[in-house]
Amino acid sequence: MSVWVLATDPDQLEPLVAAGRQAGVEVAVVAVGSRELAEAAAVSGADQVRWIQTHDAVPPEAYAPQVAALARGAGAGARVWLAGNAPAARALLGAAAVAAGAALVGGGLSLAFEGGVVVLDRVILAGAVIETLEAAGKLAVIWESSGAGDAVGGAVGGAVGVPIEEVLAAAAPGAGAGGPAPWDMRREATQVAATAAGLADAPRVVGVGRGLRSRADLVVVEELARALGAEIACSMPLADDLHWFPEERYIGRSGQKIAPRVYLALGIAGEPQHMEGVRNAKVVAAVNNDPGATVFRHATYGIVGDLYEVAPALTRALEHN
Ligand SMILES: Cc1cc2nc3c(=O)[nH]c(=O)nc-3n(C[C@H](O)[C@H](O)[C@H](O)COP(=O)(O)OP(=O)(O)OC[C@H]3O[C@@H](n4cnc5c(N)ncnc54)[C@H](O)[C@@H]3O)c2cc1C
């Protein structure tokens, strides 16, 4: 029995390898990216490392055919495939799942093998419920936890490097078939206004949560942010479930960590997973209509009230200043 880990970024290695280790089985890493990534994988505590070297202009997810070939070949015996919750890693995991005939599920928190059965705890419904899945067959799991402090534990201590086996990109379907090579691409990035980059440096950030009833109501938040000269961020459900914001805009343990001078939380409950992302904010202010909301425990200033009344009032006050 073995766990295969797909990694496109060094940050993904530690929690995924630790999850496999805790399950007590052999762990193999498929590193899709630079030589540095493969070297990090070699000392991550994994038993085997395969490296698919990416070309400069080619996004990692474009190597899905090589990953699928591995899943059908050397990785055919893997019982569980794991990948982090990042777009490229998720795409590659999809390819591995199809090739391996594995059921693809999200929200992985912890993994165990009991007898011949895979037992997976995973989070669903935006963190409101943790369910236990028991699978007799193969699983491909998008891992929710990331980084130190999560349920799967910290770094694998005293790890000794293992050899890196390079999987030749030339083995890719499409290469050498007469047409252009799959890596014959050009990439050009254009920064758009709503990026995490603006958020990371912003001195003022207005964060909005499920207290907002509809997407159309975002105008209330936008007007306040404009008056305050603030960036807008959100809680995880608004990005992950409702898709009102791009993923880069949610704050928290699995999202962005920011350090503004002021973080104003509107209609956000203040769960620890969210507040972890604003731990380094100088001042946290909160508006919530529930006087018992957890967010008030983290806030320097709090207003118990309806954000639909308080936010426009704050906007008016700022505009008349
Ligand atoms: C492994 C894991 C990782 C997670 N990572 C993150 C993460 O990185 N970031 C994150 O945000 N979450 C994360 N979560 C989810 C987190 O636990 C919470 O479920 C989520 O943050 C709740 O979002 P919310 O506060 O917007 O919604 P809710 O919990 O629904 O809270 C809405 C709040 O709005 C208030 N409200 C309602 N109406 C109004 C109104 N009219 N005016 C004012 N207030 C109002 C309510 O009183 C309530 O407090 C994670 C969960 C798990 C299990």
Side-chain angles (χ1 to χ4, degrees), residues 4 8 26 110 118 131 143 149 156 177 180 182-183 209 220 269 273 278 284 287:
W4 278 48
T8 55
E26 191 168 278
S110 73
V118 182
E131 74 170 12
W143 206 249
V156 179
W183 49 83
V220 177
Q273 294 92 346
V278 289
V284 173
V287 179

Side-chain angles (χ1 to χ4, degrees), residues 107-109 123-130 144-146 150 208-213 234-238 250-257 266-277 287-291 293-295 303-310:
L109 292 176
V123 66
I124 56 172
L125 301 176
V129 174
I130 293 177
E144 194 60 47
S145 316
S146 59
D150 279 314
V208 60
R210 264 196 310 214
L212 199 73
R213 287 192 286 271
C234 64
S235 64
M236 190 170 88
L238 267 64
Y250 81 80
I251 303 295
R253 177 184 298 181
S254 21
Q256 300 294 324
K257 278 119 190 121
L266 299 177
I268 289 180
E271 292 304 315
Q273 294 92 346
H274 181 83
M275 299 313 289
E276 237 179 86
V287 179
N288 198 300
N289 61 4
D290 174 6
T294 313
V295 73
I303 300 177
V304 178
D306 185 343
L307 76 88
Y308 287 87
E309 290 167 16
V310 177

Side-chain angles (χ1 to χ4, degrees), residues 32-97:
V32 185
S34 63
R35 176 86 204 173
E36 289 72 36
L37 173 65
E39 283 169 1
V43 294
S44 66
D47 301 293
Q48 298 174 30
V49 173
R50 285 175 179 77
W51 174 36
I52 298 174
Q53 181 181 12
T54 55
H55 296 70
D56 275 351
V58 186
E61 58 269 40
Y63 293 79
Q66 286 90 332
V67 168
L70 264 182
R72 277 189 296 266
R79 185 64 186 279
V80 175
W81 285 78
L82 299 178
N85 193 2
R90 288 198 304 258
L92 292 174
L93 188 68

